[in-house]
Amino acid sequence: MQSMARPAPDATPVLRVEHLRKSFGAVQALTDVSLDVYPGEVVALVGDNGAGKSTTIKIISGVETPDEGRIFVDGEEVRIDSPAAAERYGIQTVYQDLALCDNLDIVSNLFLGREITRPLVPPFLRLLNKSAMEERAKPVLDSLGIRLPALSTPVASLSGGQRQTVAVARAVLWGSKLVLLDEPTAALGVAQTRQVLDLILRLKDKGLGVIVISHNMHDVFQVADRIVVLRLGRTAGVFDKASVTREHVVAVMTGAAAEVNGA
Ligand SMILES: Nc1ncnc2c1ncn2[C@@H]1O[C@H](COP(=O)(O)OP(=O)(O)OP(=O)(O)O)[C@@H](O)[C@H]1O
């Protein structure tokens, strides 16, 4: 593996994964993936198609279980055997499809599956308590500098960047300490991409750990503190953004750097 970079030698990472290995039948998706993320740090996970990025994220978020390897949250070894377990450890994932309900408004999407209700008469019926949900959501949105239309606006009418913002806000609203983002800017234009990158930087400012999968080197160099390069199911390099060039990252992704270095 190429040059390791560490933020603070005595800090405890919010997440550490060591030597993950995973196969799907005959396909060896991960052979040896290790990475860590510190509080207040953005780690970009990059690699060519099929390098193992999604499988790594799925293991951290409890969608897949590894064949081998260890996972630590705040220094404690954990077993993440379901998405619910990942949530219990404060890990929230925003997938590319965002899992939003288009026909519902913003506040209902923020509280999907965790709605605040109030009793009706007769008492076994309950009604959504939208004002309580809005009251609860507003300080979180404000603390992230998120500006959205009225929370009663249906999600279907939002722009791509706003939809991404709602999905990220939902992750933060539920007390996560690590947010995993899968290609958050893939479908966005320039202005919306900027909005989402700014939001990622605010998550970092709030002290959250963030892992971003991205194919876009420009975005990676805008927001990441460190860059983890996967190649053929292995961690091929971990770099401080400040001390690596895009060209070198791409060379490690494609294997060209290893050839040049004779590694
Ligand atoms: N459920 C599965 N069944 C069989 N093979 C799988 C499965 N999931 C992933 N793979 C294989 O594992 C390898 C790693 O895939 P993965 O999706 O993790 O890579 P990736 O880096 O996210 O790629 P991409 O950028 O194309 O999304 C690939 O060869 C892929 O075909």
PDB file of all heavy atoms in Angstrom, residues 106-142:
ATOM      1  N   ILE A 106     -41.307  17.383   2.507  1.00  0.00           N
ATOM      2  CA  ILE A 106     -39.937  17.304   3.033  1.00  0.00           C
ATOM      3  C   ILE A 106     -39.941  16.781   4.469  1.00  0.00           C
ATOM      4  O   ILE A 106     -39.184  15.861   4.803  1.00  0.00           O
ATOM      5  CB  ILE A 106     -39.266  18.700   2.995  1.00  0.00           C
ATOM      6  CG1 ILE A 106     -39.116  19.179   1.548  1.00  0.00           C
ATOM      7  CG2 ILE A 106     -37.914  18.671   3.690  1.00  0.00           C
ATOM      8  CD1 ILE A 106     -38.596  20.612   1.411  1.00  0.00           C
ATOM      9  N   VAL A 107     -40.808  17.338   5.295  1.00  0.00           N
ATOM     10  CA  VAL A 107     -40.758  16.950   6.711  1.00  0.00           C
ATOM     11  C   VAL A 107     -41.110  15.468   6.880  1.00  0.00           C
ATOM     12  O   VAL A 107     -40.501  14.766   7.691  1.00  0.00           O
ATOM     13  CB  VAL A 107     -41.636  17.884   7.587  1.00  0.00           C
ATOM     14  CG1 VAL A 107     -43.110  17.594   7.436  1.00  0.00           C
ATOM     15  CG2 VAL A 107     -41.224  17.793   9.037  1.00  0.00           C
ATOM     16  N   SER A 108     -42.069  14.968   6.095  1.00  0.00           N
ATOM     17  CA  SER A 108     -42.430  13.542   6.207  1.00  0.00           C
ATOM     18  C   SER A 108     -41.259  12.667   5.790  1.00  0.00           C
ATOM     19  O   SER A 108     -41.037  11.592   6.352  1.00  0.00           O
ATOM     20  CB  SER A 108     -43.642  13.215   5.337  1.00  0.00           C
ATOM     21  OG  SER A 108     -44.712  14.033   5.706  1.00  0.00           O
ATOM     22  N   ASN A 109     -40.492  13.132   4.792  1.00  0.00           N
ATOM     23  CA  ASN A 109     -39.323  12.363   4.380  1.00  0.00           C
ATOM     24  C   ASN A 109     -38.232  12.382   5.445  1.00  0.00           C
ATOM     25  O   ASN A 109     -37.552  11.383   5.656  1.00  0.00           O
ATOM     26  CB  ASN A 109     -38.775  12.891   3.051  1.00  0.00           C
ATOM     27  CG  ASN A 109     -39.422  12.197   1.870  1.00  0.00           C
ATOM     28  OD1 ASN A 109     -39.048  11.074   1.538  1.00  0.00           O
ATOM     29  ND2 ASN A 109     -40.405  12.846   1.264  1.00  0.00           N
ATOM     30  N   LEU A 110     -38.091  13.519   6.116  1.00  0.00           N
ATOM     31  CA  LEU A 110     -37.072  13.585   7.171  1.00  0.00           C
ATOM     32  C   LEU A 110     -37.391  12.607   8.296  1.00  0.00           C
ATOM     33  O   LEU A 110     -36.495  12.077   8.949  1.00  0.00           O
ATOM     34  CB  LEU A 110     -36.985  15.008   7.739  1.00  0.00           C
ATOM     35  CG  LEU A 110     -36.419  16.077   6.806  1.00  0.00           C
ATOM     36  CD1 LEU A 110     -36.537  17.456   7.449  1.00  0.00           C
ATOM     37  CD2 LEU A 110     -34.964  15.780   6.474  1.00  0.00           C
ATOM     38  N   PHE A 111     -38.678  12.369   8.518  1.00  0.00           N
ATOM     39  CA  PHE A 111     -39.099  11.534   9.644  1.00  0.00           C
ATOM     40  C   PHE A 111     -39.618  10.164   9.207  1.00  0.00           C
ATOM     41  O   PHE A 111     -40.270   9.492   9.990  1.00  0.00           O
ATOM     42  CB  PHE A 111     -40.190  12.266  10.455  1.00  0.00           C
ATOM     43  CG  PHE A 111     -39.637  13.364  11.308  1.00  0.00           C
ATOM     44  CD1 PHE A 111     -39.300  14.586  10.754  1.00  0.00           C
ATOM     45  CD2 PHE A 111     -39.409  13.168  12.671  1.00  0.00           C
ATOM     46  CE1 PHE A 111     -38.766  15.608  11.535  1.00  0.00           C
ATOM     47  CE2 PHE A 111     -38.873  14.179  13.449  1.00  0.00           C
ATOM     48  CZ  PHE A 111     -38.557  15.405  12.887  1.00  0.00           C
ATOM     49  N   LEU A 112     -39.316   9.787   7.970  1.00  0.00           N
ATOM     50  CA  LEU A 112     -39.837   8.518   7.444  1.00  0.00           C
ATOM     51  C   LEU A 112     -39.533   7.360   8.402  1.00  0.00           C
ATOM     52  O   LEU A 112     -38.374   7.117   8.733  1.00  0.00           O
ATOM     53  CB  LEU A 112     -39.172   8.263   6.088  1.00  0.00           C
ATOM     54  CG  LEU A 112     -39.997   7.661   4.976  1.00  0.00           C
ATOM     55  CD1 LEU A 112     -41.287   8.414   4.730  1.00  0.00           C
ATOM     56  CD2 LEU A 112     -39.161   7.617   3.706  1.00  0.00           C
ATOM     57  N   GLY A 113     -40.575   6.676   8.844  1.00  0.00           N
ATOM     58  CA  GLY A 113     -40.382   5.542   9.757  1.00  0.00           C
ATOM     59  C   GLY A 113     -40.188   5.961  11.208  1.00  0.00           C
ATOM     60  O   GLY A 113     -40.071   5.117  12.096  1.00  0.00           O
ATOM     61  N   ARG A 114     -40.119   7.275  11.476  1.00  0.00           N
ATOM     62  CA  ARG A 114     -39.929   7.733  12.863  1.00  0.00           C
ATOM     63  C   ARG A 114     -40.894   8.890  13.139  1.00  0.00           C
ATOM     64  O   ARG A 114     -40.584   9.805  13.900  1.00  0.00           O
ATOM     65  CB  ARG A 114     -38.522   8.267  13.063  1.00  0.00           C
ATOM     66  CG  ARG A 114     -37.430   7.254  12.811  1.00  0.00           C
ATOM     67  CD  ARG A 114     -36.134   8.016  12.706  1.00  0.00           C
ATOM     68  NE  ARG A 114     -34.994   7.180  12.788  1.00  0.00           N
ATOM     69  CZ  ARG A 114     -34.136   6.988  11.781  1.00  0.00           C
ATOM     70  NH1 ARG A 114     -34.344   7.564  10.616  1.00  0.00           N
ATOM     71  NH2 ARG A 114     -33.085   6.228  11.936  1.00  0.00           N
ATOM     72  N   GLU A 115     -42.047   8.848  12.497  1.00  0.00           N
ATOM     73  CA  GLU A 115     -42.978   9.967  12.564  1.00  0.00           C
ATOM     74  C   GLU A 115     -43.380  10.298  13.998  1.00  0.00           C
ATOM     75  O   GLU A 115     -43.523   9.402  14.833  1.00  0.00           O
ATOM     76  CB  GLU A 115     -44.250   9.651  11.752  1.00  0.00           C
ATOM     77  CG  GLU A 115     -44.046   9.576  10.258  1.00  0.00           C
ATOM     78  CD  GLU A 115     -43.505   8.235   9.772  1.00  0.00           C
ATOM     79  OE1 GLU A 115     -43.242   7.349  10.624  1.00  0.00           O
ATOM     80  OE2 GLU A 115     -43.347   8.061   8.548  1.00  0.00           O
ATOM     81  N   ILE A 116     -43.536  11.581  14.252  1.00  0.00           N
ATOM     82  CA  ILE A 116     -44.115  12.008  15.527  1.00  0.00           C
ATOM     83  C   ILE A 116     -45.626  12.120  15.284  1.00  0.00           C
ATOM     84  O   ILE A 116     -46.055  12.763  14.324  1.00  0.00           O
ATOM     85  CB  ILE A 116     -43.547  13.375  15.974  1.00  0.00           C
ATOM     86  CG1 ILE A 116     -42.020  13.302  16.122  1.00  0.00           C
ATOM     87  CG2 ILE A 116     -44.204  13.825  17.272  1.00  0.00           C
ATOM     88  CD1 ILE A 116     -41.363  14.640  16.476  1.00  0.00           C
ATOM     89  N   THR A 117     -46.399  11.473  16.148  1.00  0.00           N
ATOM     90  CA  THR A 117     -47.857  11.496  15.946  1.00  0.00           C
ATOM     91  C   THR A 117     -48.520  12.040  17.199  1.00  0.00           C
ATOM     92  O   THR A 117     -47.909  12.145  18.262  1.00  0.00           O
ATOM     93  CB  THR A 117     -48.390  10.075  15.692  1.00  0.00           C
ATOM     94  OG1 THR A 117     -47.999   9.234  16.772  1.00  0.00           O
ATOM     95  CG2 THR A 117     -47.853   9.512  14.380  1.00  0.00           C
ATOM     96  N   ARG A 118     -49.797  12.389  17.039  1.00  0.00           N
ATOM     97  CA  ARG A 118     -50.577  12.735  18.230  1.00  0.00           C
ATOM     98  C   ARG A 118     -51.888  11.967  18.160  1.00  0.00           C
ATOM     99  O   ARG A 118     -52.384  11.658  17.059  1.00  0.00           O
ATOM    100  CB  ARG A 118     -50.794  14.236  18.340  1.00  0.00           C
ATOM    101  CG  ARG A 118     -51.445  14.891  17.169  1.00  0.00           C
ATOM    102  CD  ARG A 118     -51.401  16.413  17.383  1.00  0.00           C
ATOM    103  NE  ARG A 118     -51.531  17.140  16.131  1.00  0.00           N
ATOM    104  CZ  ARG A 118     -52.715  17.458  15.581  1.00  0.00           C
ATOM    105  NH1 ARG A 118     -53.828  17.096  16.145  1.00  0.00           N
ATOM    106  NH2 ARG A 118     -52.744  18.135  14.446  1.00  0.00           N
ATOM    107  N   PRO A 119     -52.422  11.625  19.337  1.00  0.00           N
ATOM    108  CA  PRO A 119     -53.625  10.796  19.355  1.00  0.00           C
ATOM    109  C   PRO A 119     -54.846  11.552  18.856  1.00  0.00           C
ATOM    110  O   PRO A 119     -54.941  12.758  19.011  1.00  0.00           O
ATOM    111  CB  PRO A 119     -53.784  10.428  20.827  1.00  0.00           C
ATOM    112  CG  PRO A 119     -52.972  11.418  21.584  1.00  0.00           C
ATOM    113  CD  PRO A 119     -51.930  11.965  20.667  1.00  0.00           C
ATOM    114  N   LEU A 120     -55.722  10.808  18.224  1.00  0.00           N
ATOM    115  CA  LEU A 120     -57.007  11.355  17.803  1.00  0.00           C
ATOM    116  C   LEU A 120     -58.075  10.730  18.687  1.00  0.00           C
ATOM    117  O   LEU A 120     -57.810   9.803  19.435  1.00  0.00           O
ATOM    118  CB  LEU A 120     -57.283  10.908  16.373  1.00  0.00           C
ATOM    119  CG  LEU A 120     -56.985  11.831  15.206  1.00  0.00           C
ATOM    120  CD1 LEU A 120     -57.452  11.144  13.941  1.00  0.00           C
ATOM    121  CD2 LEU A 120     -57.705  13.155  15.369  1.00  0.00           C
ATOM    122  N   VAL A 121     -59.260  11.190  18.555  1.00  0.00           N
ATOM    123  CA  VAL A 121     -60.379  10.506  19.215  1.00  0.00           C
ATOM    124  C   VAL A 121     -61.100   9.733  18.109  1.00  0.00           C
ATOM    125  O   VAL A 121     -61.415  10.325  17.084  1.00  0.00           O
ATOM    126  CB  VAL A 121     -61.341  11.536  19.844  1.00  0.00           C
ATOM    127  CG1 VAL A 121     -62.503  10.840  20.525  1.00  0.00           C
ATOM    128  CG2 VAL A 121     -60.571  12.423  20.808  1.00  0.00           C
ATOM    129  N   PRO A 122     -61.371   8.460  18.202  1.00  0.00           N
ATOM    130  CA  PRO A 122     -61.028   7.557  19.306  1.00  0.00           C
ATOM    131  C   PRO A 122     -59.517   7.353  19.414  1.00  0.00           C
ATOM    132  O   PRO A 122     -58.812   7.522  18.434  1.00  0.00           O
ATOM    133  CB  PRO A 122     -61.739   6.247  18.907  1.00  0.00           C
ATOM    134  CG  PRO A 122     -61.911   6.319  17.427  1.00  0.00           C
ATOM    135  CD  PRO A 122     -62.071   7.767  17.094  1.00  0.00           C
ATOM    136  N   PRO A 123     -59.041   6.999  20.620  1.00  0.00           N
ATOM    137  CA  PRO A 123     -57.623   7.080  20.934  1.00  0.00           C
ATOM    138  C   PRO A 123     -56.727   6.120  20.163  1.00  0.00           C
ATOM    139  O   PRO A 123     -55.533   6.307  20.151  1.00  0.00           O
ATOM    140  CB  PRO A 123     -57.572   6.788  22.442  1.00  0.00           C
ATOM    141  CG  PRO A 123     -58.860   6.163  22.770  1.00  0.00           C
ATOM    142  CD  PRO A 123     -59.859   6.575  21.752  1.00  0.00           C
ATOM    143  N   PHE A 124     -57.276   5.088  19.523  1.00  0.00           N
ATOM    144  CA  PHE A 124     -56.394   4.157  18.819  1.00  0.00           C
ATOM    145  C   PHE A 124     -55.969   4.708  17.458  1.00  0.00           C
ATOM    146  O   PHE A 124     -55.144   4.139  16.786  1.00  0.00           O
ATOM    147  CB  PHE A 124     -57.035   2.763  18.683  1.00  0.00           C
ATOM    148  CG  PHE A 124     -58.438   2.791  18.183  1.00  0.00           C
ATOM    149  CD1 PHE A 124     -58.700   2.867  16.827  1.00  0.00           C
ATOM    150  CD2 PHE A 124     -59.490   2.739  19.085  1.00  0.00           C
ATOM    151  CE1 PHE A 124     -60.008   2.896  16.376  1.00  0.00           C
ATOM    152  CE2 PHE A 124     -60.790   2.765  18.633  1.00  0.00           C
ATOM    153  CZ  PHE A 124     -61.053   2.847  17.274  1.00  0.00           C
ATOM    154  N   LEU A 125     -56.557   5.838  17.050  1.00  0.00           N
ATOM    155  CA  LEU A 125     -56.094   6.476  15.812  1.00  0.00           C
ATOM    156  C   LEU A 125     -55.057   7.538  16.154  1.00  0.00           C
ATOM    157  O   LEU A 125     -55.120   8.166  17.195  1.00  0.00           O
ATOM    158  CB  LEU A 125     -57.274   7.158  15.097  1.00  0.00           C
ATOM    159  CG  LEU A 125     -58.286   6.225  14.455  1.00  0.00           C
ATOM    160  CD1 LEU A 125     -59.444   7.022  13.921  1.00  0.00           C
ATOM    161  CD2 LEU A 125     -57.620   5.417  13.352  1.00  0.00           C
ATOM    162  N   ARG A 126     -54.080   7.709  15.252  1.00  0.00           N
ATOM    163  CA  ARG A 126     -53.079   8.748  15.499  1.00  0.00           C
ATOM    164  C   ARG A 126     -52.902   9.585  14.241  1.00  0.00           C
ATOM    165  O   ARG A 126     -53.077   9.108  13.129  1.00  0.00           O
ATOM    166  CB  ARG A 126     -51.746   8.122  15.921  1.00  0.00           C
ATOM    167  CG  ARG A 126     -51.854   7.312  17.196  1.00  0.00           C
ATOM    168  CD  ARG A 126     -50.505   6.906  17.729  1.00  0.00           C
ATOM    169  NE  ARG A 126     -49.757   8.006  18.306  1.00  0.00           N
ATOM    170  CZ  ARG A 126     -49.938   8.461  19.539  1.00  0.00           C
ATOM    171  NH1 ARG A 126     -50.849   7.940  20.317  1.00  0.00           N
ATOM    172  NH2 ARG A 126     -49.198   9.461  19.987  1.00  0.00           N
ATOM    173  N   LEU A 127     -52.559  10.834  14.450  1.00  0.00           N
ATOM    174  CA  LEU A 127     -52.393  11.765  13.346  1.00  0.00           C
ATOM    175  C   LEU A 127     -50.950  12.243  13.330  1.00  0.00           C
ATOM    176  O   LEU A 127     -50.360  12.423  14.389  1.00  0.00           O
ATOM    177  CB  LEU A 127     -53.328  12.960  13.595  1.00  0.00           C
ATOM    178  CG  LEU A 127     -53.667  13.856  12.413  1.00  0.00           C
ATOM    179  CD1 LEU A 127     -54.473  13.089  11.377  1.00  0.00           C
ATOM    180  CD2 LEU A 127     -54.465  15.061  12.920  1.00  0.00           C
ATOM    181  N   LEU A 128     -50.388  12.437  12.127  1.00  0.00           N
ATOM    182  CA  LEU A 128     -49.026  12.969  12.060  1.00  0.00           C
ATOM    183  C   LEU A 128     -48.991  14.350  12.703  1.00  0.00           C
ATOM    184  O   LEU A 128     -49.846  15.185  12.416  1.00  0.00           O
ATOM    185  CB  LEU A 128     -48.586  13.107  10.606  1.00  0.00           C
ATOM    186  CG  LEU A 128     -48.218  11.827   9.874  1.00  0.00           C
ATOM    187  CD1 LEU A 128     -47.746  12.177   8.468  1.00  0.00           C
ATOM    188  CD2 LEU A 128     -47.146  11.056  10.619  1.00  0.00           C
ATOM    189  N   ASN A 129     -48.003  14.565  13.537  1.00  0.00           N
ATOM    190  CA  ASN A 129     -47.862  15.870  14.177  1.00  0.00           C
ATOM    191  C   ASN A 129     -46.774  16.649  13.433  1.00  0.00           C
ATOM    192  O   ASN A 129     -45.610  16.669  13.823  1.00  0.00           O
ATOM    193  CB  ASN A 129     -47.500  15.677  15.654  1.00  0.00           C
ATOM    194  CG  ASN A 129     -47.539  16.976  16.412  1.00  0.00           C
ATOM    195  OD1 ASN A 129     -47.527  18.047  15.800  1.00  0.00           O
ATOM    196  ND2 ASN A 129     -47.569  16.900  17.718  1.00  0.00           N
ATOM    197  N   LYS A 130     -47.206  17.277  12.320  1.00  0.00           N
ATOM    198  CA  LYS A 130     -46.216  17.916  11.445  1.00  0.00           C
ATOM    199  C   LYS A 130     -45.533  19.088  12.114  1.00  0.00           C
ATOM    200  O   LYS A 130     -44.348  19.334  11.892  1.00  0.00           O
ATOM    201  CB  LYS A 130     -46.871  18.357  10.147  1.00  0.00           C
ATOM    202  CG  LYS A 130     -47.310  17.173   9.319  1.00  0.00           C
ATOM    203  CD  LYS A 130     -46.976  17.361   7.877  1.00  0.00           C
ATOM    204  CE  LYS A 130     -47.246  16.067   7.133  1.00  0.00           C
ATOM    205  NZ  LYS A 130     -47.472  16.246   5.748  1.00  0.00           N
ATOM    206  N   SER A 131     -46.274  19.841  12.941  1.00  0.00           N
ATOM    207  CA  SER A 131     -45.616  21.011  13.534  1.00  0.00           C
ATOM    208  C   SER A 131     -44.538  20.556  14.512  1.00  0.00           C
ATOM    209  O   SER A 131     -43.457  21.153  14.577  1.00  0.00           O
ATOM    210  CB  SER A 131     -46.617  21.962  14.170  1.00  0.00           C
ATOM    211  OG  SER A 131     -47.365  21.275  15.127  1.00  0.00           O
ATOM    212  N   ALA A 132     -44.787  19.464  15.246  1.00  0.00           N
ATOM    213  CA  ALA A 132     -43.749  18.961  16.167  1.00  0.00           C
ATOM    214  C   ALA A 132     -42.532  18.483  15.367  1.00  0.00           C
ATOM    215  O   ALA A 132     -41.389  18.697  15.758  1.00  0.00           O
ATOM    216  CB  ALA A 132     -44.303  17.823  17.014  1.00  0.00           C
ATOM    217  N   MET A 133     -42.796  17.856  14.227  1.00  0.00           N
ATOM    218  CA  MET A 133     -41.679  17.361  13.413  1.00  0.00           C
ATOM    219  C   MET A 133     -40.884  18.534  12.844  1.00  0.00           C
ATOM    220  O   MET A 133     -39.658  18.510  12.827  1.00  0.00           O
ATOM    221  CB  MET A 133     -42.195  16.445  12.299  1.00  0.00           C
ATOM    222  CG  MET A 133     -42.777  15.143  12.833  1.00  0.00           C
ATOM    223  SD  MET A 133     -42.981  13.858  11.587  1.00  0.00           S
ATOM    224  CE  MET A 133     -44.475  14.328  10.801  1.00  0.00           C
ATOM    225  N   GLU A 134     -41.606  19.565  12.399  1.00  0.00           N
ATOM    226  CA  GLU A 134     -40.902  20.741  11.853  1.00  0.00           C
ATOM    227  C   GLU A 134     -40.055  21.406  12.936  1.00  0.00           C
ATOM    228  O   GLU A 134     -38.923  21.813  12.697  1.00  0.00           O
ATOM    229  CB  GLU A 134     -41.897  21.747  11.272  1.00  0.00           C
ATOM    230  CG  GLU A 134     -42.512  21.238   9.983  1.00  0.00           C
ATOM    231  CD  GLU A 134     -43.167  22.335   9.158  1.00  0.00           C
ATOM    232  OE1 GLU A 134     -42.925  23.523   9.437  1.00  0.00           O
ATOM    233  OE2 GLU A 134     -43.925  21.984   8.237  1.00  0.00           O
ATOM    234  N   GLU A 135     -40.636  21.513  14.147  1.00  0.00           N
ATOM    235  CA  GLU A 135     -39.891  22.130  15.250  1.00  0.00           C
ATOM    236  C   GLU A 135     -38.614  21.367  15.556  1.00  0.00           C
ATOM    237  O   GLU A 135     -37.589  21.930  15.882  1.00  0.00           O
ATOM    238  CB  GLU A 135     -40.755  22.135  16.517  1.00  0.00           C
ATOM    239  CG  GLU A 135     -41.341  23.484  16.827  1.00  0.00           C
ATOM    240  CD  GLU A 135     -42.337  23.387  17.961  1.00  0.00           C
ATOM    241  OE1 GLU A 135     -41.997  22.839  19.017  1.00  0.00           O
ATOM    242  OE2 GLU A 135     -43.474  23.842  17.744  1.00  0.00           O
ATOM    243  N   ARG A 136     -38.718  20.044  15.464  1.00  0.00           N
ATOM    244  CA  ARG A 136     -37.551  19.218  15.757  1.00  0.00           C
ATOM    245  C   ARG A 136     -36.513  19.327  14.629  1.00  0.00           C
ATOM    246  O   ARG A 136     -35.308  19.333  14.873  1.00  0.00           O
ATOM    247  CB  ARG A 136     -38.058  17.775  15.929  1.00  0.00           C
ATOM    248  CG  ARG A 136     -37.028  16.716  15.947  1.00  0.00           C
ATOM    249  CD  ARG A 136     -36.751  16.243  17.390  1.00  0.00           C
ATOM    250  NE  ARG A 136     -35.637  15.326  17.379  1.00  0.00           N
ATOM    251  CZ  ARG A 136     -35.765  14.016  17.415  1.00  0.00           C
ATOM    252  NH1 ARG A 136     -36.963  13.474  17.518  1.00  0.00           N
ATOM    253  NH2 ARG A 136     -34.708  13.239  17.376  1.00  0.00           N
ATOM    254  N   ALA A 137     -36.997  19.438  13.386  1.00  0.00           N
ATOM    255  CA  ALA A 137     -36.072  19.419  12.238  1.00  0.00           C
ATOM    256  C   ALA A 137     -35.364  20.755  12.059  1.00  0.00           C
ATOM    257  O   ALA A 137     -34.190  20.788  11.683  1.00  0.00           O
ATOM    258  CB  ALA A 137     -36.839  19.065  10.958  1.00  0.00           C
ATOM    259  N   LYS A 138     -36.057  21.844  12.346  1.00  0.00           N
ATOM    260  CA  LYS A 138     -35.523  23.178  11.983  1.00  0.00           C
ATOM    261  C   LYS A 138     -34.145  23.481  12.568  1.00  0.00           C
ATOM    262  O   LYS A 138     -33.253  23.933  11.840  1.00  0.00           O
ATOM    263  CB  LYS A 138     -36.526  24.264  12.357  1.00  0.00           C
ATOM    264  CG  LYS A 138     -37.547  24.443  11.255  1.00  0.00           C
ATOM    265  CD  LYS A 138     -38.136  25.850  11.253  1.00  0.00           C
ATOM    266  CE  LYS A 138     -38.900  26.105   9.972  1.00  0.00           C
ATOM    267  NZ  LYS A 138     -40.332  26.271  10.198  1.00  0.00           N
ATOM    268  N   PRO A 139     -33.931  23.227  13.886  1.00  0.00           N
ATOM    269  CA  PRO A 139     -32.593  23.540  14.418  1.00  0.00           C
ATOM    270  C   PRO A 139     -31.493  22.727  13.733  1.00  0.00           C
ATOM    271  O   PRO A 139     -30.382  23.234  13.551  1.00  0.00           O
ATOM    272  CB  PRO A 139     -32.694  23.158  15.904  1.00  0.00           C
ATOM    273  CG  PRO A 139     -34.106  22.863  16.189  1.00  0.00           C
ATOM    274  CD  PRO A 139     -34.846  22.747  14.912  1.00  0.00           C
ATOM    275  N   VAL A 140     -31.800  21.489  13.361  1.00  0.00           N
ATOM    276  CA  VAL A 140     -30.782  20.665  12.697  1.00  0.00           C
ATOM    277  C   VAL A 140     -30.486  21.239  11.320  1.00  0.00           C
ATOM    278  O   VAL A 140     -29.329  21.397  10.917  1.00  0.00           O
ATOM    279  CB  VAL A 140     -31.254  19.188  12.586  1.00  0.00           C
ATOM    280  CG1 VAL A 140     -30.224  18.359  11.836  1.00  0.00           C
ATOM    281  CG2 VAL A 140     -31.502  18.615  13.969  1.00  0.00           C
ATOM    282  N   LEU A 141     -31.544  21.600  10.585  1.00  0.00           N
ATOM    283  CA  LEU A 141     -31.344  22.182   9.256  1.00  0.00           C
ATOM    284  C   LEU A 141     -30.581  23.497   9.379  1.00  0.00           C
ATOM    285  O   LEU A 141     -29.644  23.762   8.613  1.00  0.00           O
ATOM    286  CB  LEU A 141     -32.695  22.413   8.562  1.00  0.00           C
ATOM    287  CG  LEU A 141     -33.546  21.161   8.314  1.00  0.00           C
ATOM    288  CD1 LEU A 141     -34.865  21.546   7.660  1.00  0.00           C
ATOM    289  CD2 LEU A 141     -32.814  20.150   7.452  1.00  0.00           C
ATOM    290  N   ASP A 142     -30.961  24.316  10.381  1.00  0.00           N
ATOM    291  CA  ASP A 142     -30.279  25.610  10.559  1.00  0.00           C
ATOM    292  C   ASP A 142     -28.803  25.396  10.882  1.00  0.00           C
ATOM    293  O   ASP A 142     -27.937  26.091  10.369  1.00  0.00           O
ATOM    294  CB  ASP A 142     -30.932  26.419  11.693  1.00  0.00           C
ATOM    295  CG  ASP A 142     -32.296  26.944  11.262  1.00  0.00           C
ATOM    296  OD1 ASP A 142     -32.592  26.876  10.056  1.00  0.00           O
ATOM    297  OD2 ASP A 142     -33.065  27.383  12.143  1.00  0.00           O
TER     298      ASP A 142
END
